[in-house]
Amino acid sequence: MTFFPAHALPKLRASKFVQAVIASTFVSGLSLAPIGASAQVQSKGYNLPLSLAVEAAQESLRACEANGYKVSVAVVDTAGEMRAFVKGDHSTVHTKTTSFRKAYTVATLGPIFAFDALGVFTEKVRTTPNASALASLPDVILLAGGVAIRARGEIVAAIGVGGAPGGDKDEVCAQAGLAKIKDRLPN
């Protein structure tokens, strides 16, 4: 415990008050500052319409259900934001995460590494020493089951499917979803 002489208390109280005002001003300023961890927002270029994202997700789900697979499907844009999600009847809880991560990986890394199918990329990086570094990135997953949606020659979104007995089967379902909307995407 610290003791102060009586004549120092008014100065101490003033300095504590000033410190409190400075601290509260600093904290208030933080709430106005942009946060670096916030998601990117696509501000130009083609934006996949919600109606096409939903249609692609539903067709991917339908293709998997026709084969008896209980899956979930996510459509993610290049900013890493989910545009559409469908969870099939009786699909397990982890399929939400895997479908998102597959779509996210294609949508965000596909433009950098020039791939349209996650299965192809996964095979390519399987033997490289960088695979573990890529897999350690948040929301990146190196499992087949995602395909790119291209418009005007660029990846604008991706479809990810999770839950079939093998990523190759997930990817076939994602391809079916892409095929359903492909002719309505701008060239």
Side-chain angles (χ1 to χ4, degrees):
M1 178 176 263
T2 306
F3 293 96
F4 296 96
H7 66 279
L9 287 178
K11 291 179 189 173
L12 180 63
R13 284 191 190 116
S15 66
K16 290 283 187 192
F17 174 76
V18 171
Q19 288 174 359
V21 169
I22 290 170
S24 68
T25 302
F26 176 74
V27 170
S28 296
L30 286 178
S31 65
L32 299 175
I35 298 173
S38 64
Q40 298 173 337
V41 176
Q42 186 176 353
S43 60
K44 60 183 177 175
Y46 180 78
N47 191 20
L48 182 68
L50 178 60
S51 60
L52 291 182
V54 169
E55 192 173 340
Q58 289 175 329
E59 181 61 22
S60 298
L61 178 65
R62 189 206 59 73
C64 270
E65 285 179 339
N67 288 304
Y69 307 144
K70 311 295 186 210
V71 302
S72 291
V73 182
V75 178
V76 174
D77 65 20
T78 55
E81 294 293 323
M82 186 144 15
R83 296 286 294 145
F85 174 77
V86 291
K87 182 180 186 303
D89 293 339
H90 308 290
S91 62
T92 60
V93 67
H94 69 277
T95 60
K96 178 181 181 184
T97 302
T98 55
S99 64
F100 169 78
R101 290 177 67 189
K102 289 175 181 185
Y104 178 90
T105 302
V106 175
T108 60
L109 293 182
I112 298 167
F113 293 102
F115 68 90
D116 284 349
L118 189 51
V120 171
F121 182 65
T122 299
E123 286 302 313
K124 183 188 278 188
V125 300
R126 179 182 300 245
T127 59
T128 68
N130 298 328
S132 61
L134 282 171
S136 72
L137 295 172
D139 292 326
V140 168
I141 193 166
L142 297 178
L143 295 174
V147 298
I149 299 173
R150 286 187 170 272
R152 298 184 184 128
E154 295 181 341
I155 294 175
V156 296
I159 304 166
V161 178
D168 57 328
K169 294 168 182 64
D170 288 328
E171 207 156 289
V172 168
C173 297
Q175 289 286 358
L178 175 61
K180 179 78 173 181
I181 65 167
K182 192 170 188 169
D183 65 334
R184 289 174 278 154
L185 298 170
N187 293 329

